[in-house]
Amino acid sequence: MPTFDLAIRNARIVTADRALEGDIAIKDGIISALGNIGGDGAREIDAAGKFVLPGGVDSHVHVEQRSGMGIMCADDFHSGTVSAAFGGTTTIIPFAAQHRGMSLRTVVQDYHAAATPKAVIDYAFHLIVSDPTEQVLGQELPALIRDGYTSFKIYMTYEALKVSDYQLLDILALARREGALVMVHAENHDMIQWLAHHLVEQGHVAPRYHAIAHARVAEAEATNRAIALARLVDAPMLIVHMSEIEAIDTVRQARAKGLKIFAETCPQYIALTADDLDKPDVQGAMWCCSPPPRDSAAQEAVWSGLKDGTFDVFSSDHAPYQFNEGGKIPKGLKTTFKEMANGVPGLELRLPLLFSEGVQKGRIDLHRFVALAATNHAKLYGLYPRKGTIAVGSDADLAIWDPDRQVTVRWADLHDNVGYSPYEGRQITGWPTTVISRGRVVVENGTLNAEKGSGQFLRCESPDASRPLGKPAPEMIKMAGFGARPLF
């Protein structure tokens, strides 16, 4: 009788902090042994010449979610998780999105109903809080945090979703008290609206003006303001999808002061620029996202942040909308940049792009790649060490990478339901050829071997990063007379 369910032999195993060569033994979906392992597996895989890395964790994904404009994503939990798996990702964390007037608890129940019968890999949920009523803050949100939904996103822009600074302070204070992490979309709403109004008034409505309306300074100012609010109540915060040089520097400075500020960036900010939006008619809408891609100087600033640790996580911000009147361009050729659905697909290509552009070109090493791709996500969102690493006792979530495989991106070869890729024609070196989720070989030889509904929901613990650590901000101590104890 076999000793293990699965044994991976001759593996070049790389985690965020170590590398070794040897075998990986898997039993009952868990890694049971590492190194030179005797015994045999019911199935054996020879990984000679390949890297075996932790399965990716993508902590910023929009799947089967209705936008603030009322447009449903192109991907549901089946197509989204299949696409993730083919790209080497074995865990996603999408958003259960509250729209105004909705109960958070009902939103979560509805999202479970969508995910449970369809997902093929494991998943957790963030919350989106757009209506922080007394009921939400006093009862629903604290209860949901204790139930394993320990992170939530708020918006500083988008009329239908944004919260005020006062509301953000309420949310941050609650997160500090309950041990949760607040994610912030940081752009100055009024700056964007003012610019957009005057651009449209002058007849500038093409997609490329989206990048002008979402000015660099709008991201820089909102990032600085969000950090100041977090500092006031000594709460942890993660700034999502960062693209802009001054904003990145602001995060770097905040961290140097010891503030619990974390940061995320995405494939579009290393691989695209604002010039990609400048296409005939409304074709540039396919590259329209917020914040928009910037320029080559901003790309280099993003790479610096990925290398030096300013960025903790590299997420896809997969926001898939088809290029039609039910998606990107609701008014067809008459759609202005203000009316276009914001977001680009990237779930399947997140890790291949980072591997090819980062590891293969010497910008980051493999340990940093693993941290950005998996480990830091799991740590920030309370899933570590179950997810995000290769260790005895961890879930057997693994991706076997062929570092020499050459791939030309074609949407026809991808597995999302979007209909196009903003990275069409790009050459990629390095690809995950075999993907394992909880010991199940879910992708092999270009074939999916996972059934709908086989993914599992993950309850998130309160991550260490989001506990009330350290002293309150000095100005808060002076104002309230508190010492180094929880403020509320």
Side-chain angles (χ1 to χ4, degrees):
M1 183 174 179
T3 310
F4 310 108
D5 299 327
L6 175 64
I8 301 172
R9 305 292 185 182
N10 306 308
R12 298 159 68 188
I13 304 165
V14 182
T15 69
D17 56 10
R18 62 175 178 158
L20 65 150
E21 294 191 5
D23 307 327
I24 304 172
I26 298 165
K27 182 75 172 177
D28 297 328
I30 303 295
I31 296 172
S32 58
L34 294 170
N36 295 319
I37 300 167
D40 59 349
R43 172 149 186 219
E44 304 235 348
I45 295 176
D46 184 359
K50 298 181 175 64
F51 293 115
V52 181
L53 311 180
V57 180
D58 194 342
S59 59
H60 191 154
V61 178
H62 300 277
V63 170
E64 206 156 335
Q65 177 196 327
R66 195 171 298 280
S67 75
M69 297 170 64
I71 300 172
M72 180 58 76
C73 288
D75 282 317
D76 66 6
F77 271 92
H78 185 245
S79 61
T81 54
V82 169
S83 184
F86 274 94
T89 290
T90 52
T91 301
I92 63 168
I93 315 181
F95 297 89
Q98 180 202 38
H99 297 280
R100 288 183 185 147
M102 297 176 68
S103 158
L104 266 181
R105 179 65 70 177
T106 300
V107 166
V108 169
Q109 292 170 346
D110 291 346
Y111 216 46
H112 274 292
T116 301
K118 300 174 189 172
V120 303
I121 58 171
D122 294 351
Y123 56 94
F125 294 163
H126 304 297
L127 308 174
I128 287 177
V129 180
S130 64
D131 195 6
T133 62
E134 184 176 341
Q135 169 78 12
V136 167
L137 295 180
Q139 297 182 36
E140 290 189 341
L141 196 49
L144 285 165
I145 292 168
R146 293 168 194 143
D147 286 347
Y149 309 88
T150 59
S151 51
F152 31 91
K153 181 180 179 183
I154 64 90
Y155 290 83
M156 299 175 76
T157 188
Y158 299 138
E159 196 64 52
L161 295 171
K162 70 183 181 71
V163 300
S164 68
D165 288 358
Y166 192 104
Q167 290 171 319
L168 179 50
L169 284 168
D170 276 343
I171 294 167
L172 286 165
L174 183 151
R176 184 185 192 276
R177 183 181 70 241
E178 300 290 341
L181 180 63
V182 178
M183 310 161 68
V184 177
H185 177 137
E187 289 185 285
N188 183 302
H189 179 75
D190 288 332
M191 285 184 179
I192 294 167
Q193 291 303 302
W194 186 87
L195 286 167
H197 170 79
H198 288 286
L199 285 166
V200 172
E201 190 176 54
Q202 296 171 33
H204 302 309
V205 297
R208 70 186 184 93
Y209 292 102
H210 170 81
I212 297 171
H214 287 255
R216 296 167 183 264
V217 68
E219 183 180 348
E221 187 282 330
T223 299
N224 184 69
R225 178 160 42 99
I227 291 171
L229 296 173
R231 179 184 176 190
L232 180 67
V233 295
D234 189 34
M237 173 185 286
L238 183 138
I239 311 293
V240 298
H241 49 48
M242 297 191 69
S243 71
E244 197 276 328
I245 297 170
E246 185 180 342
I248 296 168
D249 284 340
T250 299
V251 168
R252 189 177 283 117
Q253 292 162 15
R255 291 166 70 107
K257 295 174 183 175
L259 300 181
K260 295 188 289 293
I261 304 299
F262 305 93
E264 168 200 275
T265 195
C266 309
Q268 52 267 38
Y269 306 123
I270 63 169
L272 304 176
T273 70
D275 289 343
D276 288 306
L277 280 72
D278 191 7
K279 300 286 193 297
D281 300 320
V282 293
Q283 293 177 44
M286 288 186 276
W287 287 264
C288 178
C289 59
S290 297
R294 306 295 183 180
D295 58 16
S296 59
Q299 286 180 341
E300 289 307 309
V302 169
W303 277 117
S304 293
L306 289 167
K307 183 176 181 178
D308 69 15
T310 301
F311 288 115
D312 302 276
V313 290
F314 186 80
S315 306
S316 68
D317 190 14
H318 181 70
Y321 301 103
Q322 294 182 344
F323 187 65
N324 56 34
E325 294 185 12
K328 274 285 186 183
I329 47 171
K331 295 183 180 179
L333 293 177
K334 295 182 179 179
T335 306
T336 71
F337 74 85
K338 285 190 66 175
E339 298 161 326
M340 293 170 183
N342 273 310
V344 293
L347 185 50
E348 191 164 342
L349 294 175
R350 173 183 72 114
L351 298 186
L353 282 167
L354 183 62
F355 190 96
S356 184
E357 294 297 312
V359 177
Q360 295 287 25
K361 294 187 177 180
R363 292 179 167 118
I364 57 174
D365 65 20
L366 259 178
H367 299 292
R368 186 80 186 121
F369 173 84
V370 170
L372 290 163
T375 309
N376 289 352
H377 301 258
K379 288 181 175 180
L380 276 172
Y381 298 110
L383 295 173
Y384 186 86
R386 180 178 177 184
K387 304 293 187 183
T389 192
I390 300 174
V392 173
S394 296
D395 283 359
D397 288 1
L398 307 166
I400 302 176
W401 284 74
D402 181 346
D404 301 317
R405 183 175 176 184
Q406 302 281 330
V407 173
T408 300
V409 174
R410 300 190 314 151
W411 177 79
D413 299 326
L414 301 178
H415 299 84
D416 60 52
N417 193 37
V418 182
Y420 76 93
S421 171
Y423 309 103
E424 187 82 17
R426 184 175 291 268
Q427 301 297 311
I428 288 177
T429 302
W431 199 269
T433 55
T434 303
V435 180
I436 298 164
S437 169
R438 280 182 288 105
R440 305 169 299 140
V441 180
V442 294
V443 172
E444 187 175 31
N445 298 323
T447 301
L448 178 72
N449 301 310
E451 295 182 357
K452 283 186 176 182
S454 60
Q456 293 183 358
F457 172 72
L458 303 168
R459 182 186 185 279
C460 294
E461 301 299 326
S462 181
D464 289 343
S466 63
R467 296 187 189 280
L469 303 175
K471 296 181 179 180
E475 57 266 43
M476 199 66 178
I477 297 173
K478 183 176 179 180
M479 181 176 69
F482 289 112
R485 60 186 183 187
L487 292 177
F488 304 105

